Amino acid sequence: MSVPMVEAHGVHKSYAGVEVLRGINLTVERGEVTCLIGPSGSGKSTLLRCINHLEKHDAGELRVDGNLVGYEARGGKLYERNDKQICAERSQIGMVFQRFNLFQHLTVLENITIGQVKVRSIASEDATRRARELLARVGLDAKEKNYPSQLSGGQQQRVAIARALAMDPKLMLFDEPTSALDPELVGEVLDVMKDLAKSGMTMIVVTHEMGFAREVADSLYFLDQGVIEESGNPREVLVHPRSERLRVFLSKVL
Amino acid sequence: MTTNGDDAVEVVPVRHVGRYVAAAVVLVLVAMLGHTLISKVPTGQTACHVSAGVPTCHQVSNWRFSWNIVFHYFTTSQVLDGLLVTLELTVIAMTIGIVLGMLIAVMRLSHNRLMSSAAWVYTWFFRGTPVYVQLLFWFNIAALYQSVTIGVPFLHITWLHINIVAFFTPFHTAIVGLGLNEAAYMSEIARSGLISVDEGQIEAATSIGMTRSQTLRLVIVPQAMRVILPPTGNEVISMLKTTSLVIAVGGVTDLLQSVTLIYSANYEIMPLLIVASLWYLIVTTVLSIGQYYVERHFAKGALRTPPPTPIQRLRTDLRGIAGKFRSPRHATIKAAS
């Protein structure tokens, strides 16, 4: 069997002396959808940000697609990768943010082409064609000339997903993609994500949408205070939580 | 209170008596000032001429503001040459200020402590001393350094050699003095723009694999421009007028200097100062209009609907005023039960 897409062994991370991640072990197989749930401050987002090296983890082993994140192992030593290598690694990992973070000064179409043209050096016409395909896929082909501020939250998030997909990522990270949305707009974003899961994309989703986790996820991890408290098949874990903490957490969110 | 169902009820707007009085006072003052602008005053001389054998004499009077002299000198080559020098100084010093200021702002935000400290010290020094003193300083710099050589010490390898005495001509002294001083102010303006961009924008750019310099050029700077531009326009206008301080270095005949040279010969001080002021006002006006359109360009995406241009706004205003005259003074509303 091929190497897993993401492998974490004893990953630690602290900010100013506070340990946010305290030894995370996790495996995400190719084509799988993994959901991370847990109370705020439990380290879910930090873990996600460590995976694409937006944050540097302090200790432990973190591999994406078999390669160490941020380091290269050669002759028994770890060599820190330079900026260029890290950028190249990151460009293959898509990320979707809670607050969309679309480039405000660019149109919807430009938001999706800029990475292709500037990072992947794709010709502008090809990038535009690809961007239009992706916009059609997320159901926003009529909005390409609009600026992000002219779209609803749900529409912005779908554009953000298209922007990430334009980089042809091998892995997609979602950091609470529906938490900033009005309730009636959550569905449209989840639909796009379900579609993406069906197409075989490897996804890690930090979410509070238990329905989505139950329906779409192949595995589920419950984080609390920087450790994985419980994990397994979401349809089992969510219905029959073993730990007391997960039981308490679920009673609050469900 | 009772109402008669669907009948309309007259609404009487409040009369703002205080406003009318204040407006009347302002109008009178404006009229007085306007009158002095176009009034003539007797010069104390009389002029006589003979028509049909009968001599008639009358007092000679002149414009109080000597508009004839203003008009005469307004487009003389001496004044226009001075204006050109002022514009050159403004453009060159401002370009140095903006480019260097941007660089210092980026240095200031660098994670490297030495870089950010160097940037801070630069701003501290050039903002902390008067620009007039700085101009005098550069004028006399040859007293400290006769030449500057950049190369490898002890090895007789020279990349750049500047003869300070030859380099610091009055014009060079002026642009160096004004430009370096401006860079200190521009760096603070640029920095305020750079830090105004949401951190999420930087994260998003990073997450799609942009390098730091790409993130800066393609994402941060274009959005920072919206914040940077209005105060930069202010600085350009300020620089236009600050160039008149080049009197400190002598030998640069800018707009103010050229009118000074004229009035020191003919003593028409006020008319020539008016000539200079009118030109400063004209250039400032043109710059303000330019600034408006540049700002509009960089506001793309920031607002859901872009603000109207002044011409569009004027049209709307005129329509509004016309509408006021057309509709009755007393609006009516349907009375609610």
Side-chain angles (χ1 to χ4, degrees):
Chain A
M1 197 177 153
S2 61
V3 286
M5 184 56 84
V6 179
E7 262 186 298
H9 292 294
V11 170
H12 283 258
K13 169 76 191 171
S14 21
Y15 293 107
V18 181
E19 271 207 305
V20 185
L21 298 180
R22 301 185 298 152
I24 298 285
N25 299 313
L26 154 152
T27 308
V28 177
E29 297 294 343
R30 282 159 200 279
E32 265 193 9
V33 176
T34 302
C35 281
L36 304 180
I37 61 168
S40 79
S42 59
K44 315 179 294 282
S45 293
T46 306
L47 177 59
L48 215 56
R49 295 159 63 87
C50 283
I51 291 171
N52 76 346
H53 212 254
L54 275 180
E55 306 282 355
K56 221 182 206 173
H57 59 284
D58 304 327
E61 196 181 305
L62 187 54
R63 286 177 186 274
V64 172
D65 205 8
N67 301 316
L68 288 173
V69 173
Y71 299 93
E72 196 181 348
R74 249 188 295 132
K77 284 185 184 171
L78 285 183
Y79 291 89
E80 214 173 305
R81 287 182 197 275
N82 64 27
D83 283 353
K84 205 174 161 192
Q85 292 168 322
I86 288 171
C87 286
E89 267 179 19
R90 263 197 211 112
S91 72
Q92 297 174 23
I93 303 173
M95 181 139 186
V96 174
F97 300 87
Q98 184 177 355
R99 310 220 25 249
F100 331 132
N101 297 353
L102 288 177
F103 303 131
Q104 298 295 318
H105 62 303
L106 300 178
T107 62
V108 163
L109 193 72
E110 288 164 344
N111 261 282
I112 306 174
T113 55
I114 189 167
Q116 300 183 71
V117 174
K118 300 292 179 181
V119 178
R120 299 179 67 204
S121 309
I122 291 174
S124 167
E125 310 86 72
D126 297 336
T128 305
R129 198 176 318 123
R130 176 95 174 102
R132 292 208 169 111
E133 276 169 29
L134 287 166
L135 277 177
R137 185 166 165 191
V138 299
L140 286 170
D141 28 355
K143 299 284 186 187
E144 64 169 62
K145 288 201 175 63
N146 287 79
Y147 284 96
S149 61
Q150 296 166 321
L151 303 183
S152 73
Q155 290 171 332
Q156 288 192 52
Q157 195 60 298
R158 286 188 278 156
V159 174
I161 294 172
R163 175 177 68 180
L165 290 176
M167 305 302 289
D168 283 332
K170 52 190 178 189
L171 167 68
M172 284 282 283
L173 308 175
F174 293 84
D175 190 0
E176 302 198 27
T178 56
S179 299
L181 296 176
D182 289 341
E184 80 271 23
L185 303 177
V186 169
E188 63 188 65
V189 172
L190 290 182
D191 285 345
V192 169
M193 290 169 62
K194 281 176 200 165
D195 211 47
L196 196 58
K198 242 179 264 166
S199 75
M201 175 65 74
T202 313
M203 296 161 62
I204 304 179
V205 186
V206 171
T207 189
H208 292 295
E209 296 290 332
M210 298 305 154
F212 175 84
R214 198 161 24 215
E215 190 186 336
V216 183
D218 298 296
S219 57
L220 181 129
Y221 289 82
F222 170 63
L223 270 81
D224 194 24
Q225 297 172 11
V227 290
I228 288 166
E229 192 63 31
E230 196 166 337
S231 64
N233 184 316
R235 280 154 298 269
E236 280 169 27
V237 174
L238 290 175
V239 181
H240 305 293
R242 277 167 285 148
S243 73
E244 183 56 31
R245 282 198 191 143
L246 178 54
R247 217 168 289 140
V248 172
F249 175 72
L250 289 177
S251 71
K252 283 179 189 157
V253 296
L254 287 179
Chain B
M1 200 182 113
T2 57
T3 53
N4 310 331
D6 271 353
D7 283 350
V9 175
E10 194 183 13
V11 178
V12 183
V14 170
R15 300 277 179 227
H16 300 279
V17 180
R19 270 187 221 172
Y20 295 146
V21 173
V25 170
V26 170
L27 270 179
V28 168
L29 289 173
V30 167
M32 283 164 71
L33 180 67
H35 178 251
T36 64
L37 286 177
I38 55 168
S39 64
K40 288 188 168 185
V41 287
T43 58
Q45 297 168 319
T46 44
C48 302
H49 60 96
V50 182
S51 65
V54 186
T56 45
C57 292
H58 57 84
Q59 273 198 324
V60 177
S61 46
N62 271 342
W63 297 103
R64 185 193 294 277
F65 276 81
S66 312
W67 291 116
N68 48 334
I69 299 169
V70 170
F71 188 74
H72 175 259
Y73 282 102
F74 197 63
T75 51
T76 52
S77 61
Q78 224 177 332
V79 169
L80 292 183
D81 288 348
L83 176 66
L84 199 65
V85 171
T86 291
L87 291 177
E88 276 172 13
L89 284 171
T90 307
V91 170
I92 299 171
M94 226 28 233
T95 309
I96 294 173
I98 290 171
V99 172
L100 193 59
M102 206 67 188
L103 188 75
I104 294 165
V106 172
M107 277 173 67
R108 182 80 193 275
L109 297 172
S110 162
H111 292 295
N112 185 328
R113 288 284 288 278
L114 189 67
M115 292 281 241
S116 66
S117 309
W120 184 87
V121 169
Y122 183 95
T123 312
W124 168 78
F125 180 78
F126 282 94
R127 247 183 4 172
T129 50
V131 63
Y132 195 79
V133 174
Q134 288 172 31
L135 283 166
L136 289 171
F137 182 86
W138 291 114
F139 183 59
N140 295 297
I141 188 75
L144 296 178
Y145 305 100
Q146 267 78 44
S147 64
V148 170
T149 306
I150 298 174
V152 182
F154 312 116
L155 284 181
H156 301 294
I157 297 173
T158 310
W159 289 307
L160 185 69
H161 180 85
I162 299 170
N163 182 340
I164 293 287
V165 183
F167 176 79
F168 277 97
T169 62
F171 190 77
H172 284 170
T173 309
I175 57 173
V176 166
L178 295 171
L180 295 189
N181 179 262
E182 185 55 37
Y185 289 90
M186 278 309 302
S187 77
E188 284 299 278
I189 291 171
R191 190 170 69 93
S192 72
L194 295 177
I195 60 179
S196 76
V197 177
D198 181 36
E199 211 179 343
Q201 298 286 310
I202 300 161
E203 278 182 2
T206 311
S207 80
I208 60 170
M210 283 194 191
T211 61
R212 259 185 249 176
S213 95
Q214 280 178 324
T215 305
L216 186 70
R217 276 184 296 117
L218 303 171
V219 176
I220 304 176
V221 170
Q223 296 189 59
M225 287 309 266
R226 215 170 73 79
V227 173
I228 292 174
L229 277 172
T232 302
N234 217 13
E235 289 297 308
V236 174
I237 286 167
S238 169
M239 175 61 82
L240 177 78
K241 294 169 297 168
T242 308
T243 54
S244 60
L245 290 181
V246 297
I247 197 159
V249 301
V252 182
T253 319
D254 73 321
L255 180 56
L256 182 63
Q257 272 285 55
S258 58
V259 301
T260 310
L261 288 175
I262 299 172
Y263 73 60
S264 59
N266 67 5
Y267 301 108
E268 295 286 4
I269 299 173
M270 288 308 267
L272 280 152
L273 288 179
I274 290 171
V275 168
S277 302
L278 283 176
W279 273 118
Y280 282 121
L281 277 171
I282 288 169
V283 178
T284 306
T285 309
V286 172
L287 287 174
S288 308
I289 294 169
Q291 179 188 351
Y292 177 85
Y293 283 95
V294 176
E295 270 175 33
R296 211 176 131 82
H297 172 79
F298 279 99
K300 270 188 320 186
L303 301 166
R304 268 171 226 193
T305 46
T309 62
I311 295 165
Q312 289 169 340
R313 205 180 310 154
L314 187 70
R315 213 177 292 147
T316 326
D317 286 353
L318 288 176
R319 215 176 291 138
I321 292 168
K324 248 187 190 165
F325 281 107
R326 227 176 291 125
S327 67
R329 198 72 192 90
H330 304 289
T332 54
I333 55 167
K334 284 260 175 88
S337 53

